[in-house]
């Protein structure tokens, strides 16, 4: 018998808030975490603004020992471990060190790269004949699975411990992979999430592609403009989100607080065929992904109250809205509410799907729709399809039942997950 899967813990490290309380306050009030980045200016980037979480050494020492932080230089692992452990604690799970692994618990925690600054540091040391000075953690910091390895060790996880990687779809994919494993009874709980390194060595390639905005270096908080006619590219960001997924029976047995239920979802690819390319989505695949997610969740398209979109503040925003409208067969005032967290945090790349999923679940759990900022001048392509009231620019207090969260990534890969508000019987 297939298990029902619920969410019992949340953790987040975002540009506009580290920790659930600060993050929830920020998204409710439309607070941006995008700031001027002096290093990007020094390096003469076209885009000199970014969304970067602020982590003090004092905070890091709550999650890592002084010895672990010696020669530590991996922001992605730092963000991921903080978000993951916070989610674990939020779920009411123990951090007590035991002799035997927790065979019922695992983690699927994705990333795009790991420790790129540490990797650069290592290259210079090797070239300078200083290999012995790399340190004993150089491998753990630079291997792609470093974040799941750190979390697996800190939490004593004995089930699946792995890292997935699917560009901007990574976080949404990790949730769906965890959902499937628990549904089939192969684990009782999985810490699902994703993270992204920060800094010029991550963001430089996008700046070179001219997909990042360059028009708002003097007004950072106005730089990320999803669905706006004046959008000129995305703002690079970073951070991590984490969710504890658990089978319903186990969660109820231990008296866990339940945020939401994962009803299902879908992952697919456009194969870079038709209109799909390495950087552009195949509309047929996006629409198919959404439709199949709805079918997998066992709901009707009309039951979706809100959408947390991918919506990066590029020329493809209008196409995304069109794909949603076609897939749901809803338009005008019948279209669900839709918002983009990227208006406040920028595009957190491989961390985006999980951070945005945390925001989606918070909306369900606390009954609100967070505002889209910087989109007073909505693009005409979008207003021709859906009513402007469905793109809220102010906080809305509203009980929601079902939210669809989607991510569409480099390589023409797609993921859509369906969350439902938890209501105790």
């Amino acid at each position: 018998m297939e298990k029902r899967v619920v969410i019992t813990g949340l953790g987040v490290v975002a540009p506009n808030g580290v920790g659930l309380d600060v993050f929830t306050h920020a998204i409710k009030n439309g607070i941006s975490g995008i700031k001027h980045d002096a290093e990007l200016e020094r390096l003469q980037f076209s885009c000199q603004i970014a969304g970067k979480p602020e982590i003090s050494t004092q905070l890091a020492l709550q999650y890592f020992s002084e010895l672990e932080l010696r020669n530590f230089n991996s922001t992605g692992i730092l963000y991921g471990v903080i978000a993951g452990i916070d989610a674990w604690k939020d779920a009411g799970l123990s951090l007590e060190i035991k002799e035997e692994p927790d065979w019922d618990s695992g983690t699927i925690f994705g990333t795009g790269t790991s420790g790129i600054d540490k990797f650069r540091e290592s290259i210079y040391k090797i070239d300078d004949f200083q290999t012995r000075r790399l340190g004993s953690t150089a491998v753990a910091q630079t291997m792609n699975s470093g974040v799941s390895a750190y979390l697996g060790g800190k939490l004593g996880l004995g089930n699946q411990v792995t890292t997935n990687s699917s560009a901007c779809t990574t976080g949404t994919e990790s949730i769906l992979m965890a959902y499937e494993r628990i549904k089939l009874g192969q684990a009782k709980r999985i810490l699902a999430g994703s993270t992204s390194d920060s800094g010029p060595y991550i963001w430089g390639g996008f700046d070179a592609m001219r997909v990042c905005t360059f028009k708002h270096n003097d007004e950072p908080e106005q730089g990320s403009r999803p669905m706006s006619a004046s959008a000129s590219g995305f703002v690079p960001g970073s951070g991590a989100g984490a969710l504890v997924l658990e089978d319903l029976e186990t969660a109820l047995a231990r008296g866990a607080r339940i945020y939401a239920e994962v009803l299902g979802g879908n992952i697919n690819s456009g194969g870079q065929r038709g209109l799909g390319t390495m950087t552009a989505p195949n509309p047929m695949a996006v629409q198919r992904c959404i439709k199949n997610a709805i079918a997998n969740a066992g709901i009707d398209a009309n039951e979706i109250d809100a959408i947390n979109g991918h919506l990066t503040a590029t020329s493809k925003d209008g196409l995304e809205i069109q794909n949603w409208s076609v897939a749901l067969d809803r338009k005008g005032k019948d279209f669900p509410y839709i918002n983009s967290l990227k208006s406040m945090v920028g595009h957190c790349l491989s961390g985006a799907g999980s951070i945005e999923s945390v925001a989606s679940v918070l909306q369900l759990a606390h009954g609100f729709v967070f505002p889209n900022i910087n989109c007073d001048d909505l693009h005409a392509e979008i207003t021709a399809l859906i009513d402007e009231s469905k793109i809220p620019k102010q906080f809305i207090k509203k009980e929601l039942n079902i939210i669809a969260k989607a991510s569409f990534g480099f390589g023409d890969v797609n993921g859509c997950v369906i969350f439902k508000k938890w209501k105790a019987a």
Side-chain angles (χ1 to χ4, degrees):
M1 181 177 173
E2 292 186 342
K3 306 283 188 179
R4 290 173 67 183
V5 181
V6 294
I7 297 165
T8 57
L10 299 172
V12 66
V13 174
N16 65 342
V18 177
L20 273 187
D21 291 344
V22 179
F23 180 69
T24 304
H25 174 78
I27 65 174
K28 280 183 173 181
N29 291 279
I31 297 171
S32 174
I34 297 170
K35 298 178 180 178
H36 176 259
D37 191 304
E39 182 67 359
L40 299 186
E41 180 180 9
R42 185 186 73 81
L43 294 170
Q44 300 180 19
F45 274 47
S46 296
C47 178
Q48 297 171 6
I49 60 176
K52 185 176 179 180
E54 296 181 358
I55 307 290
S56 66
T57 301
Q58 183 180 7
L59 179 61
L61 283 168
Q62 295 179 29
Y63 301 84
F64 294 85
S65 68
E66 288 188 14
L67 182 60
E68 286 176 317
L69 289 178
R70 189 180 300 168
N71 296 318
F72 190 88
N73 195 11
S74 174
T75 52
I77 291 175
L78 179 68
Y79 301 154
V81 167
I82 293 173
I85 290 179
D86 279 0
W88 197 257
K89 292 192 294 186
D90 185 55
L93 296 165
S94 175
L95 293 173
E96 181 186 352
I97 298 174
K98 298 178 181 179
E99 185 64 28
E100 190 170 345
D102 179 354
W103 305 116
D104 295 323
S105 302
T107 185
I108 301 174
F109 216 96
T111 188
T113 57
S114 182
I116 196 164
D117 285 307
K118 185 66 177 180
F119 202 62
R120 178 178 181 271
E121 173 193 321
S122 299
I123 289 171
Y124 276 103
K125 284 182 177 177
I126 291 168
D127 287 346
D128 290 339
F129 307 99
Q130 299 180 44
T131 305
R132 293 182 183 277
R133 294 185 60 192
L134 289 178
S136 60
T137 62
V139 172
Q141 289 186 61
T142 56
M143 65 184 187
N144 227 36
S145 56
V147 63
S148 58
Y150 269 92
L151 284 166
K154 288 182 176 294
L155 300 175
L157 306 178
N159 206 278
Q160 182 177 6
V161 172
T162 193
T163 291
N164 64 305
S165 186
S166 295
C168 317
T169 308
T170 299
T172 304
E173 181 184 72
S174 71
I175 294 167
L176 287 169
M177 290 172 71
Y179 163 77
E180 289 291 338
R181 187 164 181 83
I182 297 168
K183 184 177 74 170
L184 295 174
Q186 295 175 339
K188 288 187 176 179
R189 69 184 62 82
I190 297 285
L191 175 62
S194 65
T195 187
S196 177
D197 280 308
S198 61
Y201 304 112
I202 292 291
W203 301 328
F206 298 105
D207 198 73
M209 289 173 66
R210 299 287 191 261
V211 294
C212 297
T213 184
F214 59 91
K215 295 183 176 179
H216 302 276
N217 291 335
D218 295 328
E219 43 186 10
E221 294 183 356
Q222 297 180 38
S224 186
R225 311 180 67 80
M227 298 180 281
S228 166
S230 55
S232 55
F234 73 75
V235 175
S238 57
L243 305 89
V244 175
L245 274 63
E246 195 163 356
D247 77 64
L248 177 60
E249 184 181 359
T250 300
L252 290 176
R254 69 181 187 86
R257 181 238 357 255
I258 297 173
Y259 283 104
E261 183 173 3
V262 182
L263 295 183
N266 186 247
I267 300 166
N268 77 0
S269 170
Q272 299 176 44
R273 298 294 187 267
L275 296 177
T277 67
M278 181 66 77
T279 58
N282 180 340
M284 290 175 58
V286 170
Q287 293 168 24
R288 185 183 181 90
C289 181
I290 296 167
K291 288 178 180 178
N292 286 349
I294 291 167
N296 181 258
I299 63 168
D300 187 270
N302 289 322
E303 294 182 75
I304 294 174
D305 299 308
I307 297 165
N308 183 238
H310 189 58
L311 297 168
T312 58
T314 64
S315 60
K316 299 300 180 183
D317 286 2
L319 177 60
E320 180 177 335
I321 298 293
Q322 182 181 2
N323 286 331
W324 279 107
S325 181
V326 171
L328 301 180
D329 192 24
R330 297 173 66 178
K331 59 184 179 180
K333 290 187 177 180
D334 182 48
F335 196 81
Y337 288 107
I338 188 164
N339 51 20
S340 173
L341 186 67
K342 293 181 180 72
S343 64
M344 292 181 247
V345 301
H347 191 343
C348 296
L349 306 174
S350 55
S354 57
I355 296 171
E356 292 164 11
S357 289
V358 170
S360 300
V361 172
L362 287 171
Q363 290 181 108
L364 281 177
H366 299 301
F368 69 92
V369 183
F370 67 76
N372 298 280
I373 64 173
N374 302 326
C375 68
D376 290 324
D377 58 334
L378 287 168
H379 201 289
E381 287 180 2
I382 294 172
T383 53
L385 283 170
I386 65 176
D387 192 81
E388 191 169 337
S389 65
K390 296 301 181 176
I391 307 172
K393 303 177 188 68
Q394 303 292 331
F395 168 88
I396 297 175
K397 182 69 176 174
K398 185 175 180 63
E399 289 299 314
L400 304 170
N401 190 43
I402 294 177
I403 287 182
K405 166 65 202 147
S407 300
F408 311 116
F410 258 48
D412 198 9
V413 292
N414 311 303
C416 181
V417 60
I418 309 295
F419 299 117
K420 183 177 181 180
K421 181 181 176 66
W422 174 251
K423 296 173 184 173

